[in-house]
């Protein structure tokens, strides 16, 4: 019975060890993503070796290892995009994935080889890389000020996209002048003015000459009749 308990205890230590709960690290495509991992360093003898792998931490070593360090420097590196940028001698063994891609998503194991039997610190991290978000420019608000009439002020604002459309002179709207360009009374007055003939000074002079000629002819005709009557 005692031997059975001892075997179970040994197996439990072998397959469990010191494992921290899983954590989730998210990032975007094209960015540098840092997966955190630390261990306590109080003196020089606390500095130890460790490894990173691309699967959950096994009972020993790392599966699909991507980087190894002896505690002072990186000894093995299986890809140029995987780096340890922290202070290794301070226990900062965080993994930096440079120019992350969607294919980098998955589980990563940080294994710190601590002294003692089955005493390694094992941490599993789930990395999720998402597509980069695309942002769109919001429309701008332009404010125009018009010259106010006496005794009144006027200001209008409108929202348009970032650029102004070009308008040819033939397509430009025609602006009517006057105080009431759209009222019915003004339209009637305009129509009457268009239908009314205006005599120019030259036309007035020609009509006056015509009247004078007709009057002279009438006077001569009367004189002629009186002369015939007398004779």
């Amino acid at each position: 019975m005692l031997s059975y308990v001892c075997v179970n205890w040994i197996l439990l230590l072998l397959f469990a060890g010191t494992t921290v709960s899983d954590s989730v690290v998210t990032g975007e495509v094209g960015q540098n993503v840092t997966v955190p991992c630390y261990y306590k360093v109080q003196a020089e003898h606390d500095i130890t070796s460790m490894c990173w792998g691309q699967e959950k931490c096994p009972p020993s070593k790392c599966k699909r290892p991507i980087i190894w360090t002896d505690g002072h420097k990186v000894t093995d590196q299986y890809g140029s995009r995987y780096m340890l940028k922290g202070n290794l001698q301070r226990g900062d063994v965080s993994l930096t994935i440079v120019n992350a891609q969607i294919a980098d998503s998955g589980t990563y194991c940080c294994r710190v080889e601590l002294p003692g039997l089955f005493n390694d610190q094992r941490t599993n991290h789930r990395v999720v890389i998402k597509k980069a978000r695309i942002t769109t420019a919001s429309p701008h608000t332009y404010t125009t000020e018009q010259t106010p009439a006496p005794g009144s002020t006027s200001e209008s604002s409108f929202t348009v996209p970032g650029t102004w459309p070009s308008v040819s002179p033939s397509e430009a709207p025609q602006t009517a002048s006057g105080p009431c360009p759209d009222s019915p009374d003004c339209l009637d007055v305009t129509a009457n003015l268009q239908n009314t003939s205006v005599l120019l000074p030259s036309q007035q002079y020609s009509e006056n000459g015509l009247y004078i000629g007709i009057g002279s002819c009438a006077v001569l005709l009367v004189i002629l009749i009186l002369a015939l009557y007398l004779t």
Side-chain angles (χ1 to χ4, degrees), residues 1-163:
M1 181 65 181
L2 181 61
S3 61
Y4 176 75
V5 173
C6 290
V7 171
N8 288 338
W9 181 76
I10 293 173
L11 292 176
L12 180 63
L13 289 179
L14 181 63
F15 289 100
T18 304
T19 305
V20 182
S21 300
D22 293 357
S23 63
V24 178
V25 178
T26 59
E28 292 185 357
V29 173
Q31 294 183 346
N32 294 347
V33 179
T34 300
V35 187
C37 189
Y38 307 90
Y39 70 96
K40 185 179 293 186
V41 175
Q42 295 180 339
E44 180 71 20
H45 60 81
D46 293 329
I47 300 175
T48 184
S49 59
M50 61 83 57
C51 65
W52 277 95
Q54 287 184 303
E55 291 187 11
K56 287 188 176 182
C57 296
S60 63
K61 307 299 181 179
C62 290
K63 283 187 178 181
R64 298 176 60 194
I66 55 178
I67 204 163
W68 272 94
T69 172
D70 60 2
H72 298 275
K73 64 182 183 299
V74 175
T75 56
D76 293 289
Q77 188 174 1
Y78 297 89
S80 59
R81 294 194 301 112
Y82 303 109
M83 300 180 180
L84 299 182
K85 295 185 176 182
N87 191 338
L88 302 181
Q89 299 181 14
R90 295 281 184 174
D92 184 359
V93 290
S94 301
L95 175 67
T96 298
I97 304 175
V98 179
N99 189 21
Q101 303 298 321
I102 294 180
D104 294 323
S105 300
T107 301
Y108 288 76
C109 166
C110 174
R111 186 186 194 94
V112 181
E113 297 180 325
L114 299 177
L117 186 62
F118 311 122
N119 199 31
D120 290 352
Q121 174 182 306
R122 299 182 294 176
T123 310
N124 294 319
H125 301 271
R126 186 163 65 91
V127 177
V128 179
I129 306 299
K130 301 178 181 179
K131 293 183 178 180
R133 292 172 293 180
I134 300 176
T135 58
T136 57
S138 59
H140 302 283
T141 301
Y142 300 92
T143 301
T144 60
E145 295 185 359
Q146 299 179 352
T147 304
S152 64
T153 58
S154 174
E155 181 177 348
S156 61
S157 64
F158 52 92
T159 301
V160 296
T163 58

Side-chain angles (χ1 to χ4, degrees), residues 183-197:
S183 62
D185 295 338
C186 289
L187 295 177
D188 294 340
V189 172
T190 304
N192 292 333
L193 289 176
Q194 292 177 352
N195 295 329
T196 302
S197 61

Side-chain angles (χ1 to χ4, degrees), residues 204-219:
Q204 292 179 355
Y205 294 152
S206 61
E207 290 185 358
N208 292 335
L210 179 62
Y211 295 151
I212 294 173
I214 293 174
S216 299
C217 292
V219 170

